Amino acid sequence: MRIAIVICLLVPTILLGQNRKKAERAYAKAVEFYQQSADKKAKDLAEQALRHDATFIKPYLLLGQLSENEQKVEEAIAFYLKGLADNDPKNAWGYWKVGMLDFQQGNYSEAQTHLQHFLSFDKQSEKRIKSANSLLANCVFALEALQNPVPFQPENMGEEINSKWEEYLPSISADGSLFVFTRRGPHQENIVSEDFYASTLKEGEWTAAENLGQTLNTFGNEGAQCLSSDGKILFFTACDREDGFGRCDIYVSFLGVQGWSPAQNIGPSVNSPNWESQPSISPDGKELYFVSNRPGGKGKMDIWKSVLTPQGSFGKPVNLGKLINTADDEMSPFLHTDNLTLYFASKGHVGMGDFDLFLSRRTHAQEKWTYPENLGYPINTHEVENSLIVASDGQTAYFASDKSGYGQEDIFWFELPESAQPNQVDGLELDIISQESGAEIILENVHFAHNSYELDKSSFEELDKLIAYLLKNTEINILIEGHTDDIGGEVANQLLSENRAKAVYTYLLDAFIEKGRLTYKGYGESKPLVANTTEEGRAQNRRTSFRIK
């Protein structure tokens, strides 16, 4: 009887041992197939191993990796946690992996728990420890952001802009009248490619978007564009062209009477054998920001800047430095019309996960950019946020999303939270940046009494705007001009115009604008804008203006 009892006790043990051996053999084969990238066979054998012995936890770790490869993140997390049930220090990496996947899903509290548990184990790789600490900093930020959401109510731009195809990468002129974006769909000969489309603002409504034409759009892909302030120059990205210097290069096209000119490669000073894309031109046309993976950066994709030379070409690019660029990727720079606020996307700065949107500020155009600010939740989430642009009003922002709309991806607009707004660009500054270099810019609201060169108090607001612009753009010098009509003597008019120009010059000097940046000249009645045959015409010709030298 005693022998029978012993035999009964031994049978389950023997069977368990046999099952474990079968499970181990199936698991070993599963690992072999996984190493050969035969994922389906690996999965089948890992599941077979668990059918032999559900207490054998190694197959769960393999199934977690296979589910992760299939982007079944929640399933992967569940498998990994089953495989970590014994809390074996050899598998501590699994807690780091689960924490990372939790973070990617926006499960910040769970991510925090698993990452902290990973860090409780000794002798882990420095790379994973660094990654875990970085993710924990992101979790702290994200949990705080969730408790303090910023206003965000995006609205679809409508069927005049969006279609059943993909629309993305918007850009807008400084005066807000021209909207250009990329549409991916069947274009020439029904070939699916990326083309530029444009819409104009008429009576407060956007017109139906039209293809910019075959001069600019080709059978290939054109995208990631930006407009100059006056809407007459288009910088964009094209890849694998015969005249390219690398895989993707930056090109430029000019708007003329006949439409957009054939694209020109902007040359080897900017384009390299590497990857250049996503240009953004400063409002004065002097700085070109772009993304590149060229050597000499701080990480993978970095933001670079090239400055226009006196010869009219862009000079050798410089990296924006470690305050902006991280060891990871930065993308989609957008320099606002105020020339003081830079928006961009980053994977490397502390945020909600994946690419978040950030802004950096400077007080004048020659100053370095400050440490970036995250735009906050729900503008940023655990998913990808990218390619934000902001209108000159400093309030209206545009972006692309596939969350809802007319088609696969649509363009939306929303009002930026006050904390994320740039400086609003006033009418005078818009006039300045929308004019060609050296053009006359009239100070519409600068007034003098009849036959006097004493500034009327009503002029101060306009002149203060000019002072603010000059303080912001410290490299700019101006020539102040005085003009009169033809009433009175020519000599008297000449002297009056000089004295009026000098009065503006003196006002600017009193506001601590450097003397070397200012000159003035009177032209009397010699440069009328229109004929002096009517009172309206003479009023137009009586003006004070300036030119950027």
Side-chain angles (χ1 to χ4, degrees), residues 341-406:
T341 313
L342 178 70
Y343 296 88
F344 65 98
S346 174
K347 270 188 177 180
H349 288 288
V350 173
M352 306 291 293
D354 214 303
F355 277 107
D356 270 19
L357 292 165
F358 293 82
L359 68 84
S360 176
R361 302 182 190 273
R362 60 186 181 184
T363 56
H364 60 76
Q366 301 306 302
E367 194 176 66
K368 290 184 177 180
W369 295 103
T370 57
Y371 193 80
E373 306 167 32
N374 189 293
L375 266 58
Y377 173 83
I379 295 174
N380 289 319
T381 69
H382 66 278
E383 298 178 334
V384 174
E385 282 77 40
N386 206 340
S387 303
L388 182 85
I389 67 166
V390 181
S392 295
D393 65 9
Q395 299 175 355
T396 310
Y398 302 89
F399 73 106
S401 174
D402 63 356
K403 293 176 182 176
S404 64
Y406 293 87

Side-chain angles (χ1 to χ4, degrees), residues 221-224 235-239 248-251 276-279:
N221 294 318
E222 292 80 29
F235 295 88
F236 68 94
T237 307
C239 301
C248 292
D249 281 14
I250 297 172
Y251 289 77
E276 281 75 36
S277 183
Q278 303 173 2

Side-chain angles (χ1 to χ4, degrees), residues 68-118:
E68 186 183 347
N69 292 349
E70 294 177 356
Q71 298 183 339
K72 297 177 179 177
V73 178
E74 296 292 349
E75 183 179 277
I77 290 172
F79 278 132
Y80 279 131
L81 289 175
K82 287 182 179 179
L84 297 168
D86 61 353
N87 208 33
D88 186 345
K90 293 179 181 177
N91 293 327
W93 62 269
Y95 289 103
W96 165 78
K97 177 63 73 85
V98 170
M100 183 173 62
L101 293 176
D102 277 328
F103 180 76
Q104 289 174 5
Q105 293 295 97
N107 301 325
Y108 303 116
S109 295
E110 293 88 341
Q112 222 173 18
T113 299
H114 291 126
L115 291 165
Q116 287 169 345
H117 190 58
F118 163 74

Side-chain angles (χ1 to χ4, degrees), residues 209-225:
E210 296 181 356
N211 190 294
L212 286 187
Q214 294 183 19
T215 302
L216 190 57
N217 290 318
T218 68
F219 287 104
N221 294 318
E222 292 80 29
Q225 79 290 341

